[in-house]
Amino acid sequence: MHVVVAVDTTQATAANRVHIYVNGVEQSYATATYPSQNLAVGWNFNSSVCAIGARVDIPSTFKLDAYLSDVYMIDGQALDPTSFGETDANGYWRPKAYTGTYGTNGFHLDFSNSASLGTDVSGTGNNWTVNNMDATDQVIDSPTNGFATFNPISPVSLNSFTPYAAPTQGNLRLPTPASPGRNGTWSTIGISSGKWYWEQTYTTNSFSGGFPGGGIRYENYANGFDYTYVNSWMFDTEARIYNNNAQVIDLGPQLVNGDVIGFALDASSGKLWIAQNGTWYTNGGVGDPAAGTNAAITGLDTTKTWYPAASCIYANSCTTDLNFGQGGQSGLTYDSASGGYFKYTPPSGFKALSSANLPEPTIAVPKNYFDAKTYTGTGAAQSITGLNFQPDLVWTKSRGVARNHGWYDSVRGAYKALTSSATDAEVDTQTVGGGSASNYGLTSFNADGFSLGVDAWLLYSNQNTYNQISWNWKESPTSGFDIVTYTGDGANRTIAHSLSSAPEFFLVKDRTNGAFDWAVYHTGLG
């Protein structure tokens, strides 16, 4: 997220004195109080103390919980976002280098010097004093190259042991949960092919019992990560590998505080190697990920998406840190071949888990096939525009009143509505309530959006003054989306589609009978 705040209190018009932009778009406000004309605001005023990332007077209460990258202050000019960012050829907002002047008190903090994170690189010499930060607070995770972290919304308490403790330190540390909790969580980036390397470091008072562990799990989100789950392979602190509540192999001596465990996963061949302090464990021979031999675990399902994972248990006072190459720990060295900072050199051919190392996506511009669009209801016919495509499925929801979801698609026709939040049969919005074609529901799919009628029906997707949301899809084999209608015959049969491979997720709804639920299938369910 890119934020620009432009202040010019010399302006005669109050609304022109402060502008706030997010990702290049100026924000609007339901209510606003603007500074008086020619007010000398607290920021950059005489010898006033200023802070970045916290409120000066109560820093322990009001502080920023985020990464910062490239902080600018331009003294004497109220610039718009185009000085710092631009829209690329695909329509996405991207950062660019600032080439203008800074003014007397201006500065640019790029945080490139880990030994002095407050260094001003603008040339004006307005350096900042660092408070409660050190070199390990610097990571190379950036808006243009995002690294995996623990997923902050996925931690689960294992086997009903609550509570769990959420990740800290930029979502790279899994702390000790309170008694009798057991933590289990996994990474934000999944691995379905290729070769990847990451490291894990434990600090724990007790390594006996082996409950703290690290390893991988596949995409079954019905449970967490520890030694009991069939979808998890866990290497515990006694150097044992567990799967489905059974010990698979004992690799060696018990770990001690500060040991760095290296994981090298070849998802394409279904192999996982494990190292202790840079030395690969043996499993019938010395492990050699670069050569592809003697992996600790073989035979992993190559059709699954695997997630690096870790667990901790309160009884061991366990804390574990993950590093996917972004840094944030002491004693790391940058490895250009893998594209990351690590304690030990990754094996040849294995990469840091970051967006820069991911394969080029099949679809370079996702919003050519899917986009979300917000709008405000008018109570009168209106058209919603701004999409890069003509939608084939429009899913609407009122955000301002408790109403059902509305589904409209081009195969059935704009006036035919279903609601995913109820079992209701299909409704023809031209006839409901005795209305006419111009009065109810969606009325057409357009080249860059869709049109709405008055809509006094139960969905209220155009109710006057209410905020609305629409999710829009283009039907295309390229994006893997198809809409099919058919008439049931009560017998086993095959329903044809226009996709290039078997669908992995689909929804089925009886359009005639309002007593039947939606049927949902995903390959992850089996």
Side-chain angles (χ1 to χ4, degrees):
M1 179 178 290
H2 177 228
V3 179
V4 172
V5 180
V7 180
D8 181 1
T9 64
T10 67
Q11 296 292 322
T13 303
N16 291 336
R17 295 170 194 156
V18 178
H19 300 272
I20 298 178
Y21 308 84
V22 177
N23 294 337
V25 178
E26 184 167 6
Q27 304 301 291
S28 59
Y29 319 101
T31 60
T33 301
Y34 295 96
S36 57
Q37 189 174 18
N38 296 316
L39 176 71
V41 298
W43 179 267
N44 193 32
F45 176 65
N46 291 341
S47 59
S48 59
V49 176
C50 299
I52 298 171
R55 187 168 137 177
V56 172
D57 54 342
I58 320 177
S60 61
T61 301
F62 296 98
K63 54 189 176 183
L64 181 68
D65 187 15
Y67 290 129
L68 284 174
S69 177
D70 284 310
V71 176
Y72 292 89
M73 202 277 277
I74 311 303
D75 184 9
Q77 302 175 78
L79 302 177
D80 66 29
T82 59
S83 294
F84 312 97
E86 60 190 356
T87 301
D88 67 13
N90 295 325
Y92 294 101
W93 187 253
R94 302 297 189 205
K96 72 175 186 180
Y98 175 68
T99 58
T101 59
Y102 289 84
T104 303
N105 292 331
F107 58 83
H108 174 202
L109 307 183
D110 68 353
F111 310 113
S112 61
N113 184 352
S114 62
S116 181
L117 292 171
T119 299
D120 173 21
V121 297
S122 72
T124 59
N126 294 316
N127 299 320
W128 281 67
T129 300
V130 172
N131 188 346
N132 196 31
M133 297 181 70
D134 55 37
T136 58
D137 289 313
Q138 182 205 55
V139 293
I140 58 173
D141 199 320
S142 74
T144 53
N145 185 21
F147 285 75
T149 67
F150 281 128
N151 193 332
I153 64 172
S154 70
V156 294
S157 55
L158 303 178
N159 298 324
S160 301
F161 287 92
T162 57
Y164 65 81
T168 61
Q169 295 295 309
N171 294 322
L172 293 175
R173 173 171 293 172
L174 189 63
T176 304
S179 176
R182 293 182 182 178
N183 276 352
T185 191
W186 47 93
S187 68
T188 52
I189 299 179
I191 301 169
S192 57
S193 63
K195 299 178 179 181
W196 307 92
Y197 176 83
W198 68 95
E199 294 177 339
Q200 182 172 1
T201 305
Y202 278 104
T203 303
T204 176
N205 290 335
S206 173
F207 281 88
S208 63
F211 284 113
I216 55 174
R217 55 157 292 159
Y218 63 76
E219 70 279 14
N220 180 356
Y221 286 95
N223 53 39
F225 169 79
D226 76 355
Y227 65 96
T228 64
Y229 294 129
V230 65
N231 69 327
S232 298
W233 291 83
M234 191 184 88
F235 175 77
D236 73 5
T237 52
E238 291 190 3
R240 302 169 301 187
I241 295 175
Y242 277 85
N243 171 249
N244 198 21
N245 209 25
Q247 179 178 321
V248 178
I249 190 172
D250 189 338
L251 289 177
Q254 179 175 294
L255 277 63
V256 299
N257 276 338
D259 276 353
V260 177
I261 305 304
F263 294 93
L265 173 64
D266 184 345
S268 299
S269 66
K271 297 179 180 180
L272 178 68
W273 291 263
I274 302 173
Q276 181 182 23
N277 299 325
T279 300
W280 298 102
Y281 280 100
T282 60
N283 182 18
V286 177
D288 188 350
T293 56
N294 299 319
I297 301 173
T298 59
L300 295 172
D301 191 337
T302 57
T303 68
K304 302 293 187 183
T305 298
W306 294 92
Y307 293 81
S311 67
C312 273
I313 182 173
Y314 82 95
N316 296 67
S317 297
C318 160
T319 297
T320 184
D321 295 332
L322 278 187
N323 174 34
F324 295 99
Q326 62 264 73
Q329 301 174 16
S330 61
L332 306 181
T333 302
Y334 184 72
D335 176 64
S336 59
S338 65
Y341 280 90
F342 293 104
K343 184 75 171 181
Y344 298 96
T345 303
S348 178
F350 287 75
K351 300 290 187 179
L353 195 53
S354 74
S355 59
N357 286 328
L358 296 178
E360 288 294 322
T362 303
I363 297 175
V365 188
K367 65 181 180 180
N368 285 346
Y369 298 90
F370 168 80
D371 205 355
K373 197 74 177 175
T374 58
Y375 61 96
T376 301
T378 63
Q382 67 164 323
S383 293
I384 309 303
T385 61
L387 300 178
N388 281 11
F389 57 92
Q390 179 168 316
D392 292 292
L393 172 63
V394 175
W395 174 356
T396 66
K397 179 66 177 75
S398 173
R399 300 156 59 200
V401 64
R403 300 293 179 185
N404 284 328
H405 297 250
W407 286 49
Y408 308 86
D409 66 71
S410 60
V411 174
R412 296 180 298 122
Y415 294 108
K416 302 295 180 65
L418 286 167
T419 178
S420 57
S421 48
T423 62
D424 295 356
E426 178 181 272
V427 173
D428 188 334
T429 62
Q430 296 177 93
T431 60
V432 64
S436 62
S438 62
N439 288 338
Y440 295 93
L442 213 74
T443 57
S444 67
F445 300 95
N446 306 327
D448 63 347
F450 55 92
S451 294
L452 292 160
V454 173
D455 199 354
W457 189 52
L458 80 164
L459 296 179
Y460 286 81
S461 56
N462 193 23
Q463 190 169 4
N464 190 31
T465 73
Y466 280 99
N467 292 328
Q468 312 282 343
I469 177 71
S470 69
W471 297 279
N472 308 272
W473 283 264
K474 178 181 179 179
E475 190 177 16
S476 169
T478 302
S479 60
F481 177 62
D482 195 17
I483 304 168
V484 177
T485 59
Y486 61 95
T487 301
D489 60 9
N492 293 338
R493 61 188 293 194
T494 297
I495 306 300
H497 58 76
S498 63
L499 303 177
S500 58
S501 61
E504 297 178 348
F505 169 68
F506 54 81
L507 305 167
V508 179
K509 181 65 178 79
D510 188 316
R511 299 154 54 200
T512 304
N513 195 320
F516 295 152
D517 287 314
W518 292 68
V520 182
Y521 170 81
H522 190 278
T523 54
L525 299 173

